[in-house]
Amino acid sequence: MAQKETLLEIKNLVTEFKTDDELVKAVNDISFTLARGETIGIVGESGSGKSVTSLSVMRLIPNPPGKISGGEIIFHSKEKGAIDLLKLSEKEMREIRGNEIAMIFQEPMTSLNPVFTCGSQVMEAIMLHQKVKKQEAKEKTIALFKEVQLPRPESIFDAYPHQISGGQKQRVMIAMAMSCNPSILIADEPTTALDVTVQKTILDLMLKLQTEHDMGIMFITHDLGVIAELADKVVVMYKGKIVEQGPVMEIFANPQHPYTKGLLACRPPLDRRLKWLPTVADFMGTDENGNIVEKAHTISEVLNKAVVTKDERDVAHKTLYAKEPILSIKNLKTHFPIKSGFFGKTKDYVKAVDDVSFDVYPGETLGLVGESGCGKTTLGRTILRLIEPTAGDIIFKGKNLVQLNPEDMRAVRKDLQIIFQDPYSSLNPRITIGEAIMEPMQVHKILANDKERKEKVLELLKRVNMEEKHFYRYPHEFSGGQRQRICIARALALSPQFIICDESVSALDVSIQAQVLNLLNELKRDFHFTYIFISHDLSVVKFMSDRMVVMNKGKVEEMGDADSICDNPQTEYTQKLISAIPKGRLEDIQASIEAKKALKV
């Protein structure tokens, strides 16, 4: 087989950042190569150095505080041959950036300028690098929008970023990246916040574009399931270093490093039920000198300890469903008016929640799953009356919440709490996290004084695996996973009976996600909570839930035992959701390798 042409060689790269206290090597002496038509997957948790690696290749490291202090980045340019990107001037680098090496960022909303239309932003990139006139640039942009399978390309050309969905914004970013037919496409977590069905479409699209344009792709993610179906080679990063790299099949079939084993094991499986999710800590620790120590040799060794048998589950459910429901939703509707004209006349309604009914039992976790826009978040917020229902009943412990006045509703809110998707926007950046957790206790007059409340907050912080010293720190001083733990502690402060988790782990790394999901289950056991768990990720919902409600366009598509729905989905919509989940099984990897070979013939 002919050797593929090398596009990029990274040799002994070091990128460091100066802080007040020390010099941090975010990327520490790493080396790998990328060939034409090849996809290399770079995986690791937040802070592992994977995004800094991509920004180093693009020469986008902010200086100060960062700088590339060692190594070489050899790019084999179409026009200039082999060049070391680190030796180019900023002007020379600008000619390569976006033209020969393009990048898709994690968050399309912050990457697109909100005051310009989507079309004008892609046109600008084409006119800058290809020196063509406006009309030709417009035609090329619309052709690109068709190529990335955007619906109604002409209307999206004139739309602003806020007027289109997350998946559509990501496609606009891919169109912009592809506008100059680059040799290398760097994709930094491009599907993290997307539904599994949209994610699958984006991954298929990237593979199609790669085949047509013979690009090299550097795909950065924390999710090994995604890498399994897309990458040819895998590079695993941990604390700035590469701990393992090799062909995708080799890494998945026989991982060598305990960190890789941890990353592979911590994604919720669809084919079995677990009591708890394995985490990286189950596979590795450190000794007194900071050296990595392996705790478990195989993934099955850890998984076998966590498996729940069908008999155990049946016994637990018999007790659970013998009780009276704690919450009954009856024919609930939440409709939003669509207004038009000068006088704002209502011409139609968006039926976000459309005649939904179900019960939730004390101690149960009910999963709500579906794509973005299916109504699951609106339903969660309507139950708490953060959004007022249009019709129907919400009966919580015998009280119909729809009929309560604001004062009585405020008293009930003590028992009903919500953990939001974005912990950063849920916390006030101007107050310490200790004050943020104490605040609802002061509003509801829990405990006699602030001294007692502070003791309670310190106890809660400890309960969610945080430290006492964190009481005095501000939200920006914590990672995403820590902020989510703070929001959980805040929800616990009022000793609620019922908690709605609204996409509360969707933005977290899979390893941190596993820790937070285990924590939520542990707290449920200890405090006898009842949960509604909302997510677009069916594998996460399956792990957490006793029963599951699948929603589509405001209605209940399917409802029943979580395991039964995953093993034997009854509707086409649920089947589509399940088939879109990247499972990372060896047979799926082999199938995708064969499919890629067939595409490239």
Side-chain angles (χ1 to χ4, degrees):
M1 193 174 153
Q3 183 70 33
K4 288 179 186 171
E5 177 196 339
T6 300
L7 279 176
L8 189 71
E9 299 170 80
I10 292 180
K11 299 177 180 177
N12 310 108
L13 180 67
V14 179
T15 306
E16 51 195 27
F17 290 84
K18 195 173 184 357
T19 68
D20 294 338
D21 312 319
E22 58 180 334
L23 200 63
V24 177
K25 288 189 177 178
V27 170
N28 191 358
D29 193 24
I30 70 164
S31 303
F32 61 87
T33 59
L34 174 69
R36 186 171 290 286
E38 180 179 63
T39 301
I40 190 161
I42 303 180
V43 288
E45 297 167 293
S46 293
S48 63
K50 56 192 191 299
S51 289
V52 176
T53 301
S54 67
L55 292 171
S56 300
V57 172
M58 295 292 279
R59 290 263 310 271
L60 289 173
I61 299 292
N63 184 6
K67 68 168 183 176
I68 299 169
S69 60
E72 296 173 285
I73 302 173
I74 310 293
F75 171 56
H76 294 260
S77 164
K78 284 183 276 197
E79 293 153 16
K80 298 169 186 166
I83 45 174
D84 186 349
L85 298 182
L86 301 182
K87 291 183 177 160
L88 298 186
S89 68
E90 180 52 35
K91 183 174 181 288
E92 290 170 317
M93 191 63 211
R94 231 184 345 257
E95 286 171 19
I96 284 174
R97 203 185 284 137
N99 188 20
E100 294 200 65
I101 306 176
M103 188 162 180
I104 307 163
F105 292 95
Q106 178 171 359
E107 185 37 78
M109 192 65 210
T110 54
S111 307
L112 290 167
N113 191 325
V115 299
F116 292 104
T117 63
C118 296
S120 67
Q121 296 185 58
V122 179
M123 266 174 67
E124 184 188 18
I126 292 170
M127 287 159 71
L128 178 71
H129 289 293
Q130 295 186 18
K131 311 286 187 284
V132 296
K133 294 216 159 51
K134 204 169 181 182
Q135 186 55 36
E136 193 183 337
K138 181 175 180 176
E139 286 164 12
K140 282 192 168 198
T141 301
I142 290 172
L144 278 164
F145 282 1
K146 285 177 184 165
E147 196 178 358
V148 298
Q149 294 160 14
L150 274 165
R152 308 176 315 283
E154 286 81 3
S155 62
I156 286 182
F157 182 92
D158 295 319
Y160 289 89
H162 72 273
Q163 294 175 306
I164 60 176
S165 73
Q168 288 171 339
K169 280 194 277 275
Q170 199 57 284
R171 285 180 215 204
V172 170
M173 288 298 297
I174 292 172
M176 195 187 291
M178 295 302 300
S179 63
C180 297
N181 193 11
S183 299
I184 296 174
L185 180 65
I186 299 173
D188 186 5
E189 301 267 15
T191 59
T192 298
L194 302 179
D195 296 339
V196 283
T197 46
V198 179
Q199 171 178 277
K200 185 165 177 25
T201 312
I202 297 286
L203 296 179
D204 289 346
L205 170 64
M206 287 177 74
L207 196 58
K208 174 179 168 284
L209 293 171
Q210 179 185 39
T211 308
E212 287 168 8
H213 300 276
D214 204 20
M215 294 184 299
I217 295 180
M218 194 191 298
F219 194 96
I220 292 158
T221 182
H222 59 255
D223 189 343
L224 272 157
V226 169
I227 286 292
E229 296 183 19
L230 189 76
D232 301 298
K233 280 194 322 198
V234 182
V235 169
V236 184
M237 290 188 73
Y238 176 66
K239 293 189 174 173
K241 288 183 173 288
I242 292 174
V243 294
E244 191 165 354
Q245 65 174 304
V248 63
M249 196 65 174
E250 202 175 286
I251 296 287
F252 275 76
N254 190 20
Q256 297 300 303
H257 197 277
Y259 181 69
T260 313
K261 292 173 190 173
L263 285 182
L264 282 167
C266 62
R267 183 155 177 76
L270 274 175
D271 59 349
R272 62 184 110 183
R273 168 138 317 248
L274 303 180
K275 294 185 188 79
W276 43 266
L277 284 174
T279 64
V280 170
D282 290 308
F283 292 88
M284 62 180 258
T286 49
D287 61 19
E288 61 274 15
N289 301 317
N291 300 315
I292 290 171
V293 177
E294 187 166 8
K295 290 184 181 177
H297 298 301
T298 66
I299 293 172
S300 24
E301 198 181 311
V302 175
L303 285 176
N304 290 342
K305 294 179 197 166
V307 170
V308 178
T309 66
K310 189 177 182 309
D311 287 350
E312 287 173 320
R313 192 165 155 75
D314 288 347
V315 167
H317 279 184
K318 202 172 177 183
T319 313
L320 186 66
Y321 297 119
K323 302 169 190 169
E324 286 294 310
I326 188 172
L327 178 77
S328 289
I329 307 295
K330 295 180 179 175
N331 309 106
L332 193 64
K333 295 178 184 176
T334 308
H335 297 174
F336 298 109
I338 301 169
K339 296 180 187 286
S340 70
F342 185 74
F343 296 105
K345 192 178 173 189
T346 299
K347 59 171 185 175
D348 203 355
Y349 289 90
V350 172
K351 296 177 178 180
V353 177
D354 194 15
D355 200 20
V356 168
S357 302
F358 58 81
D359 292 331
V360 188
Y361 293 82
E364 180 181 30
T365 299
L366 182 81
L368 269 185
V369 71
E371 296 171 291
S372 291
C374 71
K376 56 191 187 298
T377 290
T378 304
L379 174 57
R381 293 180 185 209
T382 304
I383 290 168
L384 296 177
R385 276 191 53 201
L386 298 173
I387 296 171
E388 288 298 329
T390 306
D393 297 305
I394 306 161
I395 295 156
F396 177 67
K397 293 172 70 182
K399 281 184 188 169
N400 192 343
L401 303 188
V402 174
Q403 294 167 0
L404 297 185
N405 63 39
E407 201 177 324
D408 290 341
M409 189 63 215
R410 200 174 300 120
V412 173
R413 284 228 169 89
K414 189 170 78 68
D415 291 331
L416 289 159
Q417 287 293 300
I418 186 165
I419 302 165
F420 293 102
Q421 176 172 0
D422 182 2
Y424 195 63
S425 57
S426 313
L427 294 164
N428 186 334
R430 294 185 182 85
I431 64 173
T432 66
I433 63 135
E435 293 171 289
I437 299 169
M438 261 168 73
E439 188 183 41
M441 296 164 78
Q442 290 163 336
V443 169
H444 287 280
K445 299 185 171 53
I446 307 282
L447 302 176
N449 53 50
D450 280 352
K451 185 173 179 289
E452 285 184 23
R453 288 180 195 120
K454 184 182 173 182
E455 283 170 18
K456 171 82 171 167
V457 171
L458 293 174
E459 193 184 301
L460 287 169
L461 284 173
K462 206 169 166 187
R463 194 69 193 76
V464 297
N465 304 326
M466 301 286 285
E467 295 174 42
E468 284 192 8
K469 64 182 180 189
H470 292 150
F471 183 95
Y472 303 100
R473 292 190 186 166
Y474 290 86
H476 73 270
E477 297 179 73
F478 297 95
S479 70
Q482 287 173 317
R483 283 199 283 263
Q484 200 55 284
R485 288 167 192 273
I486 292 160
C487 290
I488 292 170
R490 194 170 193 255
L492 298 181
L494 299 175
S495 306
Q497 296 171 331
F498 196 103
I499 298 177
I500 294 176
C501 304
D502 184 10
E503 296 275 15
S504 52
V505 295
S506 64
L508 303 178
D509 291 346
V510 280
S511 51
I512 306 296
Q513 175 181 281
Q515 293 170 23
V516 173
L517 293 175
N518 288 341
L519 172 67
L520 287 168
N521 275 339
E522 199 182 297
L523 293 169
K524 178 183 151 181
R525 277 194 304 272
D526 294 352
F527 294 100
H528 310 294
F529 292 140
T530 303
Y531 287 140
I532 284 182
F533 192 90
I534 300 169
S535 178
H536 62 254
D537 188 334
L538 207 134
S539 54
V540 168
V541 170
K542 187 219 168 176
F543 167 72
M544 288 297 289
S545 308
D546 297 290
R547 283 183 308 139
M548 191 189 286
V549 174
V550 181
M551 284 189 73
N552 182 21
K553 294 177 182 168
K555 292 184 177 291
V556 173
E557 183 81 19
E558 195 167 341
M559 177 164 40
D561 179 76
D563 288 10
S564 303
I565 286 178
C566 286
D567 296 341
N568 187 22
Q570 296 302 301
T571 70
E572 195 182 322
Y573 178 76
T574 313
Q575 288 162 9
K576 187 180 83 165
L577 276 184
I578 292 170
S579 68
I581 298 167
K583 299 167 185 74
R585 296 177 307 201
L586 297 182
E587 58 266 35
D588 296 331
I589 299 169
Q590 193 56 52
S592 82
I593 291 170
E594 298 304 326
K596 275 187 270 187
K597 276 183 192 164
L599 271 173
K600 287 170 186 175
V601 168

